[in-house]
Amino acid sequence: MNFSLYFLLFIFGTIVGSFLNVIILRHNTGQSINGRSHCFTCGRRISWYELVPVLSFGALLGRCRNCKARISWQYPLVEVFTGLILTLLAWQMGILYEYSHLQLLSFLISVVLWCNLIIIFVYDLRHQIIPDTFSLSFALLALLLAILPCLTDACSLTSIFYRLLAGGVLFSFFFLLWFVSGGKWVGFGDGKLAFGIGIYLGFAKGLSALAFAFWIGAIVGLLLIMRGKIRHYLGGKHLKSEQKDFTIKSAIPFAPFLIIGTLIALVFQSDIFGLHNIF
């Protein structure tokens, strides 16, 4: 294994992640993604050497060079995660060694697809909403990946139909939860994201991704409730109102769990329900 190639791809991925941060922070704000970066506290324009992915955050100790305001950990985390995703995709698809033009195209589409998912992940955490622009782009890219093998007669219309059907089934499940609860259990955007996941992974891995998402979400929810109980026991009742404890009725963004479940199902080719031989 040539680690230098993977390292270079990781570095490129962190640069892509830096751009994704710009999109996440400026989407629906009226700001152009071409504008110069600036500190959100003092407004000072940021120099190019302060924008080096990951390294600049460490060199500045996570603070603005001018006003010393804290810089969000979102910046390095998104950069590192994007680098890891690109490296993982390259390793899984073997794109750094032997590849065809079709495989290279599939890799590039997969990279853009996962960039959409990373944006959705962070945006939902920040705003508890999934922009249609990115969830629909994700679904279209997933469909394009499903159609791509047909360029070499390596697929059939039936396989594409099953992918669309899988997307429809996953969407219907979330739509039912949304409709019955009046939007209290899940958001409608989660259903749109699930539609793309079904197309991307198919029935077997798609349902596995949903299972992982609900399991991980339940564990995280329980941990947050336990943390609140512990803080309250240790004197957390004196915390400020904006630091209220997490309860079973508290809202929690679900898209991040869906995306983590998708990543697990993709990497491990999960089929926990044994549906691979059926669909």
Side-chain angles (χ1 to χ4, degrees):
M1 180 182 293
N2 193 333
F3 287 102
S4 60
L5 291 176
Y6 285 105
F7 179 72
L8 289 174
L9 186 60
F10 172 79
I11 296 300
F12 175 73
T14 63
I15 296 172
V16 174
S18 181
F19 178 67
L20 296 185
N21 271 319
V22 173
I23 296 176
I24 292 166
L25 293 170
R26 299 186 185 183
H27 181 72
N28 273 343
T29 64
Q31 298 183 64
S32 169
I33 61 174
N34 298 321
R36 289 285 301 274
S37 297
H38 61 276
C39 174
F40 287 101
T41 302
C42 66
R44 182 185 65 88
R45 286 190 174 184
I46 300 175
S47 304
W48 67 267
Y49 53 83
E50 298 175 83
L51 297 172
V52 179
V54 184
L55 296 180
S56 290
F57 183 86
L60 294 169
L61 300 178
R63 291 183 179 275
C64 172
R65 187 165 60 90
N66 182 55
C67 68
K68 306 304 179 183
R70 288 188 178 276
I71 301 173
S72 173
W73 275 91
Q74 173 189 317
Y75 292 94
L77 289 177
V78 169
E79 290 163 357
V80 169
F81 187 67
T82 306
L84 290 174
I85 286 292
L86 264 66
T87 306
L88 180 62
L89 288 173
W91 170 77
Q92 186 181 50
M93 303 175 74
I95 205 67
L96 295 183
Y97 298 97
E98 297 181 3
Y99 62 88
S100 64
H101 294 299
L102 192 63
Q103 285 175 307
L104 180 59
L105 181 58
S106 178
F107 171 72
L108 294 176
I109 295 173
S110 298
V111 168
V112 179
L113 179 149
W114 273 97
C115 284
N116 272 267
L117 289 180
I118 292 170
I119 292 172
I120 291 171
F121 187 109
V122 182
Y123 200 90
D124 195 34
L125 279 178
R126 289 176 62 91
H127 305 290
Q128 295 193 14
I129 190 172
I130 304 174
D132 287 342
T133 301
F134 303 112
S135 58
L136 295 179
S137 296
F138 165 58
L140 289 174
L141 289 165
L143 181 59
L144 184 57
L145 281 177
I147 295 173
L148 208 56
C150 295
L151 298 177
T152 59
D153 297 324
C155 77
S156 65
L157 292 177
T158 302
S159 65
I160 297 175
F161 170 75
Y162 276 136
R163 290 296 183 101
L164 289 169
L165 184 60
V169 170
L170 267 60
F171 170 79
S172 298
F173 172 71
F174 276 90
F175 176 80
L176 182 62
L177 292 177
W178 173 79
F179 182 78
V180 170
S181 68
K184 295 180 180 179
W185 296 345
V186 295
F188 194 70
D190 295 321
K192 298 174 186 176
L193 178 58
F195 176 69
I197 292 173
I199 298 175
Y200 182 45
L201 298 178
F203 268 113
K205 292 193 288 291
L207 289 175
S208 297
L210 257 64
F212 289 132
F214 278 103
W215 293 341
I216 296 171
I219 293 171
V220 171
L222 287 173
L223 290 175
L224 290 174
I225 291 173
M226 289 174 59
R227 186 189 69 170
K229 296 292 185 182
I230 293 172
R231 287 199 310 174
H232 184 75
Y233 177 77
L234 296 176
K237 59 184 178 180
H238 301 298
L239 292 173
K240 296 179 181 179
S241 59
E242 64 267 22
Q243 296 177 303
K244 289 182 179 178
D245 292 337
F246 186 89
T247 69
I248 196 169
K249 294 183 178 181
S250 300
I252 184 170
F254 196 64
F257 301 123
L258 284 171
I259 293 169
I260 292 172
T262 299
L263 183 61
I264 295 173
L266 176 68
V267 172
F268 296 100
Q269 297 293 296
S270 305
D271 180 16
I272 59 180
F273 298 107
L275 299 174
H276 181 72
N277 294 326
I278 301 176
F279 299 106

